[in-house]
Amino acid sequence: MSDAATSTLIVIPCLNEAMHIGALLEQLRPAAARLGARIVVADGGSVDGTQAIVEKFAAKDPRVVLLANPKRLQSAAINLAAATFGDGADYLIRVDAHGGYPADYCDRLVEEALATGADSVVVSMLTSGTGAVQKAVAAAQNSKLGTGGSKHRHMSEGEWVDHGHHALIRIAAFRDVGGYDESFSHNEDAELDYRLRRAGYRIWMSGRTQMVYYPRSTLKSLYFQYLGYGRGRAKNVLKHRMVPKVRQMIPLLVAPVVLLALFSFVHWLAAVPFLLWAAVCLGYGAVTAIGQRNPGLALIGVSAMVMHFGWSVGFWQQLLLGRSQREVA
């Protein structure tokens, strides 16, 4: 259990999460009671009944609060909740509505923050799916092929890190660096972690708890998700003049490789880089499917290609757009 003197604010940014918000609140209420926490659901204007569900919980439990988030972005939701209800609280725990959490998730986060003295506790994000496409996407996101070996995509034994999936942050540190940058619709967590580290704050990756993420169930939605991720990473690079890591630089080549392949009618060699990339991805999917005796996992390769291409296109779009806008300014 955590120190009884510790006060915690649990924030759930959401938009149209009627299918999940009720069960999530039922799960979080006991933890909120143990921690003396308030649960703030920052809703971006749901039209599917999410707000009515939250209001029913709020009517019977004063710890649950519905907060309107007119800017709709997750970053704005967290900032607004911290500004409105953060006074007097030590920690802010961010809980995403479309995810799965252990019953003691919040308790473990607070315990690790107190034990390590960390200013932020991040967690591993394990991906799980149900349908054929979602399972393949989940497997791709859990693999080095899909994520390049990102630490927070795999279980940790507990370590100091530069970045991870956001879970808990000391409100004083959050406010000191100015909270999330609301100009970021994606990658706002990595951008905040950069500023936290630059200000001397420490980030600890939990070895005692984790969350489960349920990925997109169609390749089209997966593409647009990674398009946003790519744009967010490019904004980070431009804002802080960062050099992308090697695992991020490799996917950058994908969009140029696809573009080059369009000129294969001029010379067949133009298609070779594309064919090599496709062979690696599709081959990985085939080997995985055979090894696990699950034909559906062959889609891992296709999912990875969609992720790589979306991320690369998004990065280049933002990089070129961002530079042109700065030149005009």
Side-chain angles (χ1 to χ4, degrees):
M1 290 294 293
S2 64
D3 187 335
T6 300
S7 176
T8 306
L9 178 66
I10 301 171
V11 183
I12 309 172
C14 75
L15 176 64
N16 295 325
E17 292 288 354
M19 292 181 62
H20 306 96
I21 195 65
L24 183 58
L25 288 174
E26 284 287 8
Q27 180 181 351
L28 290 174
R29 286 173 62 208
R34 292 192 298 270
L35 294 170
R38 173 185 275 124
I39 302 173
V40 178
V41 180
D43 185 82
S46 296
V47 295
D48 67 342
T50 296
Q51 295 181 25
I53 295 171
V54 177
E55 287 170 346
K56 288 182 179 179
F57 276 91
K60 63 182 180 181
D61 187 344
R63 294 187 185 278
V64 178
V65 177
L66 177 64
L67 177 67
N69 171 29
K71 294 183 180 179
R72 299 171 70 88
L73 294 175
Q74 290 187 342
S75 55
I78 304 294
N79 286 349
L80 182 60
T84 307
F85 299 104
D87 290 349
D90 298 292
Y91 297 115
L92 183 154
I93 294 177
R94 172 176 174 168
V95 175
D96 295 314
H98 203 58
Y101 302 87
D104 61 355
Y105 181 73
C106 295
D107 304 82
R108 298 292 84 81
L109 292 174
V110 174
E111 288 172 0
E112 285 201 90
L114 293 171
T116 62
D119 301 292
S120 173
V121 178
V122 297
V123 296
S124 299
M125 183 172 67
L126 307 180
T127 311
S128 179
T130 53
V133 173
Q134 196 177 47
K135 285 181 178 180
V137 172
Q141 292 181 338
N142 286 332
S143 71
K144 288 187 177 181
L145 176 68
T147 62
S150 178
K151 282 188 176 182
H152 70 276
R153 289 287 187 172
H154 307 279
M155 285 299 297
S156 169
E157 295 182 357
E159 58 186 314
W160 297 104
V161 296
D162 292 337
H163 172 58
H165 183 75
H166 279 193
L168 174 148
I169 188 168
R170 192 185 303 275
I171 287 183
F174 183 79
R175 288 178 166 177
D176 182 50
V177 299
Y180 286 113
D181 184 337
E182 295 179 10
S183 70
F184 281 69
S185 61
H186 296 77
N187 211 232
E188 78 281 355
D189 51 354
E191 194 280 328
L192 177 61
D193 283 347
Y194 178 87
R195 285 186 283 121
L196 283 171
R197 298 194 318 275
R198 191 172 60 183
Y201 294 111
R202 299 186 302 164
I203 303 170
W204 174 259
M205 177 169 284
S206 173
R208 301 184 61 192
T209 193
Q210 69 288 318
M211 64 90 67
V212 176
Y213 171 74
Y214 304 110
R216 300 297 191 270
S217 58
T218 68
L219 295 178
K220 179 180 178 180
S221 58
L222 180 68
Y223 168 78
F224 284 107
Q225 179 185 27
Y226 274 79
L227 188 76
Y229 286 164
R231 288 172 177 166
R233 175 53 60 179
K235 287 190 69 172
N236 239 323
V237 168
L238 290 171
K239 178 177 179 178
H240 298 296
R241 300 185 182 279
M242 303 163 60
V243 177
K245 297 178 180 179
V246 173
R247 65 178 177 81
Q248 296 165 342
M249 294 180 72
I250 293 176
L252 282 181
L253 299 174
V254 171
V257 160
V258 173
L259 182 62
L260 178 64
L262 297 178
F263 292 91
S264 59
F265 68 91
V266 177
H267 198 290
W268 63 271
L269 283 174
V272 171
F274 173 85
L275 293 174
L276 288 174
W277 167 60
V280 169
C281 293
L282 298 178
Y284 182 93
V287 170
T288 303
I290 294 171
Q292 298 189 24
R293 297 181 180 180
N294 183 349
L297 291 182
L299 283 172
I300 290 176
V302 178
S303 300
M305 291 180 72
V306 171
M307 291 159 58
H308 294 165
F309 183 61
W311 196 93
S312 185
V313 170
F315 190 99
W316 286 111
Q317 281 184 348
Q318 186 62 48
L319 189 67
L320 298 175
L321 177 63
R323 282 183 173 174
S324 64
Q325 288 178 336
R326 290 168 67 180
E327 289 171 359
V328 170

